Amino acid sequence: MGKIDLSYLENMSGGDNTMIVEMIELFLQETPQHLNNLKEADQNALWNKVASEAHKIKPIMLYVGLSDLNLVCKKIEDNAKGDQDSELSKELIKQLESGYNDVAGDLETKIEELR
């Protein structure tokens, strides 16, 4: 579900590979914690926290061109602020986690290429 596109980071960094690597590493380090926070908040029906965590993750996904996962984050946030459908929330969080796991290895490979 996610195809990386580093054009945003390339433009933002002016093509500085060191900065691109740092941003990818930050993405790889922080996203799992955000996902854990999101799952925990969802399990405890802490909808404000679910919305907050989803909101934090949204722009991070765009940094590496994962617009489809950004949309999943938006759906999670909207659900938490609106209907608060716990089944939908769990399904969307699974999609988000799966999408992250699908691209994490590719991003690790990209880091090696850029060094």
Coordinates of all heavy atoms in Angstrom, one line a residue, residues 14-66:
G14 N 17.3 20.6 -0.9 CA 18.2 21.0 -1.9 C 19.1 19.9 -2.5 O 20.2 20.1 -2.9
G15 N 18.6 18.6 -2.3 CA 19.4 17.5 -2.8 C 20.5 17.1 -1.8 O 21.4 16.3 -2.1
D16 N 20.5 17.6 -0.6 CA 21.5 17.2 0.5 C 21.2 15.8 1.0 O 20.2 15.6 1.8 CB 21.4 18.2 1.6 CG 22.4 18.0 2.7 OD1 23.1 16.9 2.7 OD2 22.6 18.8 3.6
N17 N 21.9 14.8 0.6 CA 21.7 13.4 1.0 C 21.8 13.2 2.5 O 21.0 12.4 3.0 CB 22.6 12.5 0.2 CG 22.3 12.3 -1.2 OD1 21.2 12.8 -1.7 ND2 23.1 11.6 -1.9
T18 N 22.6 13.9 3.1 CA 22.8 13.8 4.6 C 21.5 14.2 5.3 O 21.0 13.5 6.2 CB 23.9 14.7 5.1 OG1 25.1 14.3 4.5 CG2 24.1 14.5 6.6
M19 N 20.9 15.3 4.8 CA 19.6 15.7 5.4 C 18.5 14.7 5.1 O 17.6 14.4 5.9 CB 19.2 17.1 4.9 CG 18.0 17.7 5.5 SD 17.8 19.4 5.0 CE 16.2 19.7 5.8
I20 N 18.5 14.2 3.9 CA 17.4 13.3 3.5 C 17.5 12.0 4.3 O 16.5 11.5 4.8 CB 17.6 12.9 2.0 CG1 17.2 14.1 1.1 CG2 16.6 11.7 1.6 CD1 17.6 14.0 -0.4
V21 N 18.8 11.5 4.5 CA 19.0 10.3 5.4 C 18.5 10.6 6.8 O 17.8 9.8 7.4 CB 20.5 9.9 5.3 CG1 20.8 8.9 6.5 CG2 20.8 9.3 4.0
E22 N 18.8 11.8 7.3 CA 18.4 12.1 8.7 C 16.9 12.1 8.8 O 16.3 11.6 9.8 CB 19.0 13.5 9.1 CG 20.4 13.5 9.4 CD 21.0 14.8 9.7 OE1 20.3 15.8 9.8 OE2 22.2 14.9 9.8
M23 N 16.2 12.7 7.8 CA 14.7 12.7 7.8 C 14.1 11.3 7.7 O 13.2 11.0 8.4 CB 14.2 13.6 6.7 CG 14.6 15.1 6.9 SD 13.9 15.8 8.4 CE 12.2 15.8 8.0
I24 N 14.7 10.5 6.9 CA 14.2 9.1 6.8 C 14.4 8.4 8.1 O 13.5 7.6 8.5 CB 14.9 8.4 5.6 CG1 14.5 9.0 4.2 CG2 14.5 6.9 5.6 CD1 15.2 8.5 3.0
E25 N 15.6 8.5 8.6 CA 15.9 7.9 9.9 C 14.9 8.3 11.0 O 14.4 7.5 11.8 CB 17.3 8.1 10.3 CG 18.4 7.4 9.5 CD 19.8 7.7 9.9 OE1 20.1 8.8 10.4 OE2 20.6 6.9 9.6
L26 N 14.6 9.6 11.0 CA 13.7 10.1 12.0 C 12.3 9.5 11.8 O 11.6 9.1 12.7 CB 13.6 11.7 11.9 CG 12.9 12.4 12.9 CD1 13.6 12.3 14.3 CD2 12.8 13.9 12.6
F27 N 11.9 9.4 10.5 CA 10.6 8.8 10.2 C 10.6 7.3 10.7 O 9.6 6.9 11.3 CB 10.4 8.8 8.6 CG 9.3 8.0 8.2 CD1 8.0 8.6 8.1 CD2 9.4 6.7 7.7 CE1 6.9 7.9 7.7 CE2 8.3 6.0 7.2 CZ 7.1 6.6 7.2
L28 N 11.7 6.6 10.4 CA 11.8 5.2 10.8 C 11.8 5.0 12.4 O 11.3 4.0 12.9 CB 13.0 4.5 10.2 CG 12.9 4.3 8.7 CD1 14.2 3.8 8.1 CD2 11.7 3.3 8.3
Q29 N 12.4 6.0 13.1 CA 12.5 5.9 14.5 C 11.2 6.3 15.2 O 10.8 5.7 16.2 CB 13.6 6.8 15.0 CG 15.0 6.3 14.7 CD 16.1 7.4 14.9 OE1 15.8 8.4 15.4 NE2 17.3 7.1 14.5
E30 N 10.6 7.3 14.7 CA 9.4 7.9 15.4 C 8.1 7.2 15.0 O 7.2 7.2 15.9 CB 9.3 9.4 15.2 CG 10.4 10.2 15.8 CD 10.3 11.7 15.7 OE1 9.3 12.1 15.1 OE2 11.1 12.4 16.3
T31 N 7.9 6.8 13.8 CA 6.6 6.3 13.4 C 6.2 5.1 14.2 O 5.0 5.0 14.6 CB 6.6 6.0 11.9 OG1 7.0 7.2 11.2 CG2 5.3 5.5 11.4
P32 N 7.1 4.1 14.5 CA 6.6 3.0 15.3 C 6.0 3.4 16.7 O 5.0 2.8 17.2 CB 7.8 2.1 15.5 CG 8.7 2.4 14.3 CD 8.4 3.9 14.1
Q33 N 6.6 4.4 17.3 CA 6.1 4.9 18.6 C 4.7 5.6 18.4 O 3.8 5.3 19.2 CB 7.1 5.9 19.3 CG 6.6 6.3 20.6 CD 6.5 5.1 21.6 OE1 7.4 4.3 21.8 NE2 5.3 5.0 22.2
H34 N 4.6 6.3 17.4 CA 3.3 6.9 17.1 C 2.2 5.8 16.8 O 1.1 5.9 17.3 CB 3.3 7.8 15.8 CG 4.0 9.1 16.1 ND1 3.6 10.1 17.0 CD2 5.1 9.7 15.5 CE1 4.4 11.1 17.0 NE2 5.3 10.9 16.1
L35 N 2.6 4.8 16.1 CA 1.7 3.7 15.9 C 1.3 3.0 17.2 O 0.1 2.7 17.4 CB 2.3 2.7 14.9 CG 2.4 3.1 13.4 CD1 3.3 2.1 12.6 CD2 1.1 3.3 12.8
N36 N 2.3 2.8 18.0 CA 2.0 2.2 19.4 C 1.0 3.1 20.2 O 0.1 2.6 20.8 CB 3.3 1.9 20.1 CG 4.0 0.7 19.6 OD1 3.4 -0.2 18.9 ND2 5.3 0.7 19.8
N37 N 1.3 4.4 20.2 CA 0.4 5.3 20.9 C -1.0 5.3 20.3 O -1.9 5.3 21.1 CB 1.0 6.7 20.8 CG 2.3 6.9 21.5 OD1 2.7 6.1 22.3 ND2 3.0 8.0 21.2
L38 N -1.0 5.2 19.0 CA -2.3 5.2 18.3 C -3.1 3.9 18.7 O -4.3 4.0 19.0 CB -2.1 5.2 16.8 CG -3.2 5.5 15.9 CD1 -4.0 6.8 16.2 CD2 -2.7 5.6 14.4
K39 N -2.5 2.8 18.7 CA -3.1 1.5 19.0 C -3.6 1.5 20.4 O -4.7 1.1 20.8 CB -2.2 0.3 18.7 CG -2.0 0.1 17.2 CD -1.3 -1.2 17.0 CE 0.1 -1.2 17.4 NZ 0.9 -2.4 16.9
E40 N -2.7 2.0 21.3 CA -3.1 2.0 22.8 C -4.3 2.9 23.0 O -5.2 2.6 23.7 CB -1.9 2.5 23.6 CG -2.1 2.5 25.1 CD -0.9 2.9 25.9 OE1 0.2 2.5 25.5 OE2 -1.1 3.7 26.8
A41 N -4.3 4.1 22.4 CA -5.4 5.0 22.6 C -6.6 4.5 22.0 O -7.7 4.6 22.6 CB -5.0 6.4 21.9
D42 N -6.5 3.8 20.9 CA -7.7 3.2 20.3 C -8.3 2.0 21.2 O -9.5 2.0 21.4 CB -7.3 2.6 18.9 CG -8.5 2.0 18.2 OD1 -9.5 2.7 17.8 OD2 -8.5 0.7 18.0
Q43 N -7.4 1.2 21.7 CA -7.8 0.1 22.6 C -8.6 0.6 23.8 O -9.5 0.0 24.3 CB -6.6 -0.7 23.0 CG -6.1 -1.6 21.9 CD -4.7 -2.2 22.2 OE1 -4.2 -2.0 23.3 NE2 -4.2 -3.1 21.4
N44 N -8.2 1.8 24.3 CA -8.8 2.4 25.4 C -9.9 3.4 25.1 O -10.3 4.1 26.0 CB -7.7 3.0 26.3 CG -6.8 2.0 26.9 OD1 -7.2 1.1 27.6 ND2 -5.5 2.1 26.6
A45 N -10.2 3.5 23.8 CA -11.3 4.4 23.4 C -11.0 5.9 23.8 O -11.9 6.6 24.1 CB -12.7 4.0 23.8
L46 N -9.7 6.2 23.8 CA -9.3 7.6 24.1 C -9.3 8.4 22.7 O -8.3 8.6 22.1 CB -8.0 7.6 24.7 CG -7.8 6.9 26.1 CD1 -6.4 6.8 26.5 CD2 -8.7 7.5 27.1
W47 N -10.5 8.8 22.3 CA -10.7 9.3 21.0 C -9.9 10.6 20.7 O -9.4 10.8 19.6 CB -12.2 9.5 20.7 CG -12.9 8.2 20.7 CD1 -13.8 7.7 21.6 CD2 -12.7 7.1 19.7 NE1 -14.1 6.4 21.3 CE2 -13.5 6.0 20.1 CE3 -12.0 7.0 18.5 CZ2 -13.6 4.8 19.4 CZ3 -12.0 5.8 17.8 CH2 -12.9 4.7 18.2
N48 N -9.8 11.4 21.7 CA -9.0 12.7 21.6 C -7.5 12.3 21.3 O -6.9 13.0 20.4 CB -9.1 13.6 22.8 CG -10.4 14.3 22.9 OD1 -11.1 14.4 21.9 ND2 -10.8 14.7 24.1
K49 N -7.0 11.3 22.0 CA -5.7 10.9 21.8 C -5.5 10.2 20.4 O -4.5 10.4 19.7 CB -5.2 10.0 22.9 CG -3.7 9.7 22.7 CD -3.1 9.2 24.0 CE -1.7 8.7 23.7 NZ -0.7 9.2 24.5
V50 N -6.5 9.4 20.0 CA -6.5 8.8 18.7 C -6.4 9.9 17.6 O -5.5 9.8 16.7 CB -7.7 7.9 18.4 CG1 -7.8 7.5 17.0 CG2 -7.7 6.7 19.4
A51 N -7.2 10.9 17.7 CA -7.2 12.0 16.7 C -5.9 12.7 16.8 O -5.3 13.0 15.7 CB -8.4 12.9 17.0
S52 N -5.4 13.0 17.9 CA -4.1 13.7 18.1 C -2.9 12.9 17.5 O -2.1 13.5 16.7 CB -3.8 14.0 19.6 OG -2.6 14.5 19.8
E53 N -2.8 11.6 17.7 CA -1.7 10.8 17.2 C -1.9 10.7 15.7 O -0.9 10.8 14.9 CB -1.7 9.4 17.8 CG -1.1 9.4 19.2 CD 0.3 9.8 19.3 OE1 1.1 9.5 18.4 OE2 0.7 10.4 20.3
A54 N -3.1 10.5 15.2 CA -3.3 10.4 13.7 C -2.9 11.8 13.1 O -2.2 11.8 12.0 CB -4.7 10.1 13.4
H55 N -3.2 12.9 13.7 CA -2.9 14.2 13.2 C -1.4 14.4 13.1 O -0.9 15.0 12.2 CB -3.5 15.3 14.1 CG -3.3 16.6 13.6 ND1 -4.1 17.1 12.5 CD2 -2.5 17.6 13.9 CE1 -3.7 18.4 12.3 NE2 -2.7 18.7 13.1
K56 N -0.7 13.9 14.1 CA 0.8 14.0 14.2 C 1.5 13.2 13.1 O 2.5 13.6 12.5 CB 1.4 13.5 15.5 CG 1.1 14.4 16.7 CD 1.6 13.7 18.0 CE 1.1 14.5 19.2 NZ 1.5 13.7 20.4
I57 N 0.9 12.0 12.7 CA 1.5 11.2 11.7 C 1.2 11.6 10.3 O 2.1 11.4 9.4 CB 1.0 9.7 11.9 CG1 1.3 9.2 13.3 CG2 1.6 8.8 10.9 CD1 0.7 7.8 13.6
K58 N 0.1 12.3 10.1 CA -0.3 12.7 8.7 C 0.9 13.4 7.9 O 1.2 12.9 6.8 CB -1.5 13.7 8.7 CG -2.8 13.0 8.8 CD -4.0 13.9 8.5 CE -3.9 15.2 9.3 NZ -5.1 16.0 9.2
P59 N 1.5 14.5 8.4 CA 2.5 15.1 7.6 C 3.8 14.3 7.5 O 4.4 14.4 6.4 CB 2.8 16.4 8.4 CG 2.3 16.2 9.8 CD 1.2 15.2 9.7
I60 N 4.0 13.5 8.4 CA 5.2 12.6 8.4 C 5.1 11.7 7.2 O 6.1 11.4 6.5 CB 5.4 11.8 9.7 CG1 5.6 12.8 10.9 CG2 6.5 10.8 9.6 CD1 5.5 12.1 12.2
M61 N 4.0 11.2 6.9 CA 3.8 10.3 5.7 C 4.1 11.0 4.4 O 4.6 10.4 3.5 CB 2.3 9.7 5.7 CG 2.0 8.8 6.9 SD 3.1 7.4 6.9 CE 2.9 6.8 8.6
L62 N 3.7 12.3 4.4 CA 3.9 13.0 3.1 C 5.4 13.3 2.9 O 5.8 13.5 1.7 CB 3.2 14.3 3.2 CG 1.6 14.2 3.1 CD1 1.0 15.6 3.1 CD2 1.2 13.5 1.8
Y63 N 6.2 13.4 3.9 CA 7.6 13.6 3.8 C 8.3 12.6 2.9 O 9.2 12.9 2.2 CB 8.4 13.6 5.1 CG 8.0 14.8 6.1 CD1 8.2 14.6 7.4 CD2 7.4 15.9 5.6 CE1 7.9 15.7 8.3 CE2 7.1 16.9 6.5 CZ 7.3 16.8 7.8 OH 7.0 17.8 8.7
V64 N 7.8 11.3 3.0 CA 8.4 10.3 2.2 C 7.4 9.8 1.1 O 7.5 8.7 0.5 CB 8.8 9.1 3.0 CG1 10.0 9.4 3.9 CG2 7.7 8.5 3.9
G65 N 6.5 10.7 0.7 CA 5.6 10.5 -0.4 C 4.5 9.5 -0.2 O 4.0 9.0 -1.2
L66 N 4.2 9.2 1.0 CA 3.1 8.1 1.2 C 1.8 8.8 1.4 O 1.1 8.8 2.4 CB 3.5 7.3 2.5 CG 4.8 6.6 2.4 CD1 5.2 6.0 3.8 CD2 4.7 5.5 1.3

